[in-house]
Amino acid sequence: MESFHRKLLLAGKRLGSLIALALNLDEDFFEKVGALDKPMPFLRLLHYPGDMGSFNEEIYGAYAHSDYGMITLLATDGVPGLQAYLLLISCSVQL
C-alpha cells in the first residue's frame, strides 16, 4: 500500500502541474504553495458495494461524503457501486 500511495502521489503531482499550466501558472505552483505537503495527501481504502438489490443483509461501505483537497483520484476495478455527483464550480485565479 505504501508503494501504491507513492505512485498515486507522483500521479497527483504530475496532474497538479498540468492543472497549473492550464491555468497559466508556473508548472510547480501547487508544490510551491504546499498543496501536496503532509498531511494533505492521503490514501483511503473504501469499499463500495456492487449490487444493492438485497436489503436483508448488512452492507458495509462509505456513506455519502465530500472529498476535500485539490483533486481526488479513484482507482476502480470496473465493478459498479460508486455513485459520484459532479459539481462544477466556476472560479478565477488572481495572483
Side-chain angles (χ1 to χ4, degrees), residues 19 29 34-35 53 68 72 74 81:
I19 292 170
F29 174 82
Y68 55 91
T72 298
L74 297 172

Side-chain angles (χ1 to χ4, degrees), residues 29-43:
F29 174 82
F30 293 110
E31 278 196 67
K32 284 194 264 183
V33 299
L36 295 173
D37 289 352
K38 289 186 177 185
M40 194 56 202
F42 65 92
L43 174 67

Side-chain angles (χ1 to χ4, degrees), residues 7-53:
K7 289 176 183 178
L8 284 177
L9 183 56
L10 180 59
K13 285 181 180 183
R14 289 179 180 164
L15 189 55
S17 294
L18 292 174
I19 292 170
L21 291 173
L23 294 171
N24 293 320
L25 301 170
D26 292 336
E27 184 176 357
D28 60 349
F29 174 82
F30 293 110
E31 278 196 67
K32 284 194 264 183
V33 299
L36 295 173
D37 289 352
K38 289 186 177 185
M40 194 56 202
F42 65 92
L43 174 67
R44 221 176 1 179
L45 301 177
L46 300 174
H47 171 70
Y48 296 99
D51 183 13
M52 299 290 286

Side-chain angles (χ1 to χ4, degrees), residues 52-59:
M52 299 290 286
S54 174
F55 293 103
N56 295 332
E57 59 187 76
E58 199 167 345
I59 297 174

